[in-house]
Structures are given as C-alpha cells and as structure tokens.
C-alpha cells in the first residue's frame, strides 16, 4: 500500500487505503495510517493493515433480514466487504448503476442490479474521511413481498366475505320465500272458496 505514510506526513491527517494485495501475504488487504505528532509536527506514522474480511464480519454481525444486502466500496469503486457471498464479490467492481449514483452524490438512493442479476433498491453514503461508500440494498422481491401478501390477504378476505354473503342470502332468501309461498297457497285457497288453515309465519 504505497504512498500512504508519505500522505499522512504531508497532510497530518489519517489516510485510509483502497483495496490492495499484500506484498507478503499476496492476499487482499486494507491499510490505515495515523500520524503521530510531537511538538506540533508529524514525527511518526502508525500503519496497520487488515483483511477486508473484518469489514464483512461487521456486516454479518448485523444479522440483516433475507433479501437485504450491506456492502462497502472503496474510492476506486471496488467492493471491499459484503454481507452476502463476499468471497465472490470482494475485489470486484461494483455495478455501473451504483457507481454512477455514488459519483453523482455523496449520499442518496437508487436502483440497480447486482452482479448476479438481482434487481435492488439501495441507499448509500460516502465517508468524507476514507472515501469509502457504505450501501444498504434490498431486493425488489423483498420489497414487493409485503404488498403481495397484503393483496393475497385482501383477496382471501374478500372471497370469504363473498361466500358468507352468498350463504346469508340463501338462508334469508329461504326464510322469506317460505312465508310468501304459504301466503300464495292461502290466497289460492280463498280464491277457490276454501278456508285456509291458520298461518304462523314467524
């Protein structure tokens, strides 16, 4: 991770690296440099390197719901941590739609597709100190699931109410039709000059 200590000497500020390959381990590594001041001047720079797996572990510890994905992207638009399938994504460039949104604004919302073809809605914010961008995305299917569930419940409830209404209509229809039929028979009896039997219609 070259130029990091010299940058801290010049600026007197901490410096955070992009994702790189360690010279010794030949594995992905991230670095942080913090200047140490003596008598108002930078005398030393403390440098620490660590695996991007630390970033992924932090996101996994959040136990995000299914369909939600957290990711961190460095200044070059390279993924350095991800809460899902990190081994397949770390070291790869983020999606073009996402990178355009990040370039346009330090924070905001957008829609994109992951490298495995999933449509997602995302929110992102870029750190002024490190230049890294943290993004939280949710699959479109996960966003739509509550809507579809509500529609199913409405449809099932509507069907149940319709069946209940039909059942009540049949019951009350019969309750009404029986007295009407009895009255019609009594009227026919009167028409023939007969005395109808007494009716109890309820």
């Amino acid at each position: 991770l070259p130029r990091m200590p010299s940058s801290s000497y010049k600026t007197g500020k901490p410096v955070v690296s992009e994702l790189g390959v360690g010279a010794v381990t030949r594995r992905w590594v991230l670095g942080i440099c913090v200047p140490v001041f003596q008598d108002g001047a930078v005398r030393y720079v403390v440098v620490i390197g660590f695996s991007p797996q630390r970033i992924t572990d932090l996101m996994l510890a959040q136990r995000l719901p299914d369909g939600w994905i957290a990711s961190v992207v460095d200044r070059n638009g390279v993924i350095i941590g991800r809460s899902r399938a990190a081994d397949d994504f770390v070291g790869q460039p983020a999606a073009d739609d996402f990178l355009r949104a990040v370039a346009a604004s330090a924070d905001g919302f957008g829609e994109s597709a992951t490298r495995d073809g999933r449509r997602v809605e995302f929110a992102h914010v870029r750190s002024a100190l490190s230049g890294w961008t943290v993004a939280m995305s949710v699959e479109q299917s996960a966003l739509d699931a509550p809507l579809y569930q509500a529609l199913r419940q409405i449809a099932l409830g509507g069907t149940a109410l319709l069946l209940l209404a039909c059942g009540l209509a049949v019951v009350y229809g019969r309750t009404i039709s029986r007295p009407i039929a009895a009255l019609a028979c009594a009227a026919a009896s009167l028409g023939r000059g007969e005395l109808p039997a007494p009716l109890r219609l309820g």
Side-chain angles (χ1 to χ4, degrees):
L1 301 173
R3 297 196 305 270
M4 288 179 58
S6 61
S7 296
S8 287
Y9 271 118
K10 293 176 181 178
T11 64
K13 296 179 180 179
V15 176
V16 181
S17 77
E18 298 88 1
L19 186 65
V21 177
V24 177
T25 64
R26 309 306 301 170
R27 295 180 180 178
W28 293 121
V29 65
L30 295 163
I32 299 176
C33 295
V34 179
V36 178
F37 289 85
Q38 282 186 346
D39 301 325
V42 177
R43 298 299 183 190
Y44 308 99
V45 175
V46 177
V47 181
I48 182 172
F50 60 96
S51 168
Q53 183 63 40
R54 298 283 296 273
I55 305 295
T56 294
D57 290 343
L58 286 173
M59 291 182 289
L60 291 174
Q62 308 309 309
R63 301 184 182 277
L64 297 175
D66 291 339
W68 289 76
I69 304 169
S71 57
V72 181
V73 178
D74 70 11
R75 289 184 293 270
N76 293 333
V78 176
I79 298 171
I80 59 177
R82 200 171 188 268
S83 62
R84 178 191 291 179
D87 292 340
D88 297 330
F89 285 85
V90 170
Q92 301 297 320
D96 291 338
D97 292 342
F98 173 78
L99 293 178
R100 282 193 292 270
V102 171
S105 174
D107 55 74
F109 302 88
E111 182 178 342
S112 181
T114 62
R115 293 176 60 84
D116 51 3
R118 301 173 188 265
R119 296 302 304 175
V120 296
E121 301 281 343
F122 66 86
H124 67 90
V125 61
R126 184 169 61 240
S127 167
L129 173 64
S130 66
W132 294 357
T133 299
V134 179
M136 182 68 68
S137 59
V138 57
E139 293 178 13
Q140 191 67 51
S141 57
L143 284 177
D144 293 341
L147 173 62
Y148 292 143
Q149 182 178 2
L151 291 176
R152 283 194 297 269
Q153 291 175 346
I154 290 172
L156 291 174
T159 302
L161 288 175
L162 180 61
L163 293 175
L164 178 61
C166 290
L168 291 174
V170 170
V171 170
Y172 282 103
R174 289 178 178 175
T175 302
I176 294 172
S177 64
R178 287 194 187 106
I180 292 175
L183 288 173
C185 290
S189 298
L190 287 173
R192 292 191 300 270
E194 301 172 358
L195 183 64
L199 298 176
R200 294 183 179 179
L201 304 178

